[in-house]
Each structure stands twice: as structure tokens, then as C-alpha cells.
Amino acid sequence: MRKSVALFLAVLLALSLGGCGKKEEAPNQGKDELLLGFAQLGSESGWRIGNTKSVTEAAEAAGIRLMYNNANQSQEKQIKAIRSYIAYRVDVIAFSPIVEEGWDNVLREAREAGIPVIIEDRYIKTEDETLYAAHIGSDFYREGVMAGEYLLRKLSTLPADKTLNVVELEGTIDSTPMLQRRAGFRDTVRDEPRIHLLDSICGDFMISKGKECVKTMLEQYGSGIDVLFSHNDCMMYGALEAIREYGLTPGKDVIIISVDGEQQAIDLLKEGQVNCVVECTPKLGDEIMRVAKDLAAGKEVQREVYSHESSFTEFDDLAGLAPRGY
Ligand code: GZL
């Protein structure tokens, strides 16, 4: 990581001296090492930190030089980082788009510079399919479906007259995981008359906002809340604090469903404080490096590479579950 940070700082200096967009002598010209520019969206969750770790370690293992930038939840900063990689004439660009819209212009610049783009994790919405070469990541809609399927199974174990009021903690508005997990969950439970969606608030995938939002909903609905569906584990951690402070027991008074599959969430599941954790793997690094090498070699690549994921619930035997690594 230190190497790539030093390299990135050198880039910034070169650009500031040479003026943005001036064609600097790309340091990797004549070198056979592939140079990958990686524009990460932030470090908002354990999942995101695990994703960055996966990419940086995979680059090291693959002998690929990595330029890395953390945009700290700013689309503008992500676009700036991609522009700096274009100016530096990297071989390939990879990024996780914080939201789905607003990428066409900078990706057109990458295409005009002849630099292939890999989208990892989240998706972009575009009419122009030529703007990126491949997407590597999860089926977020299926993750929402798995969350809904768990809740239907849970309901089947409850008395026939029991109804469930659900509150939802949404991730970053207009991000793919927020849109798709929301849709998958709703489509799965929509026809069940005993499940009511009470409220839905954006916690931006963060612990602090997750706690704030659930505190607000508890003040409004109190013990009328039967289920929390959280779009990621970090917001769920904050929500558990609010639920305990309110005097309710998570996993018992409030059924807890979360997504990501961080080790901390699995430990809470084993302790009975959480009822269902849907897996969303951040370990995309090896696949990104494989596709980057193929693109740099001018090979055809598969346009969509989905991660294989499952869910872990209170009904499963979790004793043999391998450490999550994030
Ligand atoms: C999902 C990823 C989401 C995680 C959150 O692939 O984009 O962003 O679910 C993270 O933990 O913030």
C-alpha cells in the first residue's frame, strides 16, 4: 500500500507541475508490469475495508502496480481520481461507483484514451455499454430476496395470528446495493399479508447513522417494531445499540436481518443477537486482476462476473463456518 500511495502522490505532483491532462511520460511505458488505477469510493464499512484489502493484496500477488485513491464517499473525488489515472495513462482502470448515475463523461474520456475500465462491486446506469469492459460483483437483488425468504421462513414458525412490522435501514441512496436489496426484499414479502413495511430510512451504510435512524424509529414506533432489515452489517451494529438502549433485546424482541457477512455479524448471529446475515463478499481482488491482465493483453473478457453467495440464519448449524476474513 505504501508503494502505491507514494506512486499516486508522484502522479499528483507530476500532474500539478505538468498541468492536468498534459501527456506525462507514463512511468510504466516500456515496463512489462501492468499499471492499474483503482478509484475506491470510501472506507465506510468493514465490508469496504475488506474490499480494498482484497484488491491491494491481489495486485501484489499478481505483480500488478496499483495506484489507489479513497474518495471518502465523494463521487466528485472518484471522478477526479479516474481523470488522474487517464492523464497518467495507466493500463487499466477499476472502480466501485458510489452511485449509479453520472459516470458517462469520465468513462468516455477513458475510452478515448484507450484505457479499458473494470467496474467492481456496485453498478453504473448507462445507455452506452462500450463505456466499460466488465463488471465484477454481487447480485444485490438476490441478496434482498434471500433476506425476504428468511423472514417468510421465520414467520412460518410463529403463531398463525402473528403479524410482523418491518423497519428498513437503507444504504446510500441511488447506490446499486440500496436499490436492489430494497427491491429484492419487497418483491419477496409483498404477497404476505402478515408482513407490513412500517418505515424505511437511509443510514448511508454507516454505524453512526444506523444508530440515529433506529433511535428515531423507536421513538416513533417503540415495541411496535418486530423486524429490522438492514442493508449492511455496519448500520445493523449501530441499530443494535439503539435497540438495547431502548430496553429491547435484539434477536428476540426485534428480529434482525442484515447483509454483508462480516465476522462481527456472524458472531452476533451465533450469540442469538442477530437472526439472519446475507452474504455479500468483498473479496473481488483476484478476479479484478485476472480480468485486468486479459484486458491489457487485448483479450476478450466475460462482461459480467457474479460472486457466489448464500445466507446464514438462526436455523443453520454455524459451527463449521470458516472465518470470514473481513
Ligand atoms: C456491497 C457494497 C456495500 C456494502 C456496504 O457490494 O457496495 O457498500 O454492503 C458497503 O457495507 O458500504
Side-chain angles (χ1 to χ4, degrees):
M1 179 79 99
R2 270 196 302 278
K3 233 176 12 177
S4 52
V5 171
L7 180 64
F8 187 54
L9 291 175
V11 173
L12 288 184
L13 183 62
L15 287 178
S16 58
L17 295 174
C20 198
K22 184 166 173 271
K23 294 281 178 204
E24 292 301 315
E25 183 56 33
N28 60 309
Q29 264 186 338
K31 290 207 177 80
D32 52 10
E33 251 185 345
L34 193 158
L35 181 59
L36 172 70
F38 177 45
Q40 181 57 288
L41 66 85
S43 45
E44 73 284 357
S45 66
W47 189 99
R48 185 64 52 200
I49 291 162
N51 179 241
T52 299
K53 180 168 174 276
S54 171
V55 171
T56 48
E57 287 179 354
E60 187 87 30
I64 289 175
R65 284 167 69 215
L66 189 74
M67 291 171 68
Y68 167 78
N69 176 269
N70 174 348
N72 287 316
Q73 308 296 314
S74 156
Q75 180 175 29
E76 191 191 341
K77 286 182 184 163
Q78 259 195 307
I79 291 171
K80 268 201 187 115
I82 294 171
R83 283 213 164 97
S84 70
Y85 299 150
I86 295 168
Y88 205 64
R89 304 214 323 265
V90 298
D91 297 299
V92 183
I93 290 169
F95 77 110
S96 172
I98 185 165
V99 292
E100 295 198 332
E101 317 229 354
W103 304 98
D104 280 18
N105 290 339
V106 71
L107 294 184
R108 261 197 287 277
E109 292 164 29
R111 185 183 58 196
E112 278 145 29
I115 302 174
V117 173
I118 299 168
I119 295 178
E120 70 111 13
D121 177 23
R122 302 180 187 180
Y123 289 77
I124 67 168
K125 204 177 274 174
T126 181
E127 301 298 317
D128 184 349
E129 291 295 303
T130 68
L131 291 179
Y132 65 93
H135 174 270
I136 299 166
S138 301
D139 180 345
F140 302 112
Y141 181 85
R142 197 170 105 69
E143 292 169 356
V145 168
M146 288 193 278
E149 286 171 344
Y150 159 76
L151 192 57
L152 291 173
R153 180 176 178 188
K154 178 70 176 181
L155 183 66
S156 71
T157 68
L158 302 176
D161 61 347
K162 175 70 180 161
T163 59
L164 294 175
N165 290 322
V166 182
V167 293
E168 182 181 31
L169 273 176
E170 289 182 328
T172 304
I173 299 294
D174 294 337
S175 69
T176 315
M178 172 264 173
L179 294 166
Q180 294 296 313
R181 286 170 186 168
R182 173 190 168 97
F185 181 78
R186 278 167 173 68
D187 290 351
T188 305
V189 302
R190 177 170 291 115
D191 298 336
E192 175 44 69
R194 293 163 60 196
I195 295 177
H196 308 131
L197 191 59
L198 210 50
D199 207 344
S200 197
I201 304 187
C202 174
D204 227 358
F205 289 129
M206 294 176 182
I207 296 179
S208 53
K209 289 191 179 177
K211 180 172 185 177
E212 245 169 72
C213 295
V214 169
K215 198 159 172 280
T216 304
M217 293 194 277
L218 283 165
E219 282 157 9
Q220 188 170 357
Y221 306 105
S223 55
I225 296 174
D226 301 303
V227 184
L228 166 71
F229 171 41
S230 175
H231 288 187
N232 86 326
D233 292 341
C234 272
M235 293 189 292
M236 176 268 286
Y237 305 147
L240 261 56
E241 279 180 40
I243 291 168
R244 286 191 210 99
E245 285 169 12
Y246 187 80
L248 295 173
T249 305
K252 307 247 178 319
D253 300 326
V254 183
I255 296 163
I256 307 292
I257 305 170
S258 186
V259 187
D260 274 348
E262 293 178 7
Q263 187 59 53
Q264 186 179 344
I266 297 298
D267 293 345
L268 288 165
L269 174 62
K270 289 178 177 174
E271 292 163 13
Q273 296 189 56
V274 169
N275 304 84
C276 171
V277 179
V278 175
E279 181 182 27
C280 173
T281 180
K283 300 174 183 174
L284 306 174
D286 290 336
E287 199 56 40
I288 292 168
M289 300 312 145
R290 186 186 65 75
V291 172
K293 282 188 171 177
D294 285 351
L295 288 169
K299 292 181 185 169
E300 277 294 304
V301 298
Q302 193 179 328
R303 189 149 174 85
E304 182 62 64
V305 181
Y306 278 121
S307 313
H308 299 287
E309 297 166 340
S310 62
S311 63
F312 308 105
T313 80
E314 62 183 292
F315 304 118
D316 300 326
D317 173 5
L318 301 168
L321 199 58
R324 301 293 300 156
Y326 61 100

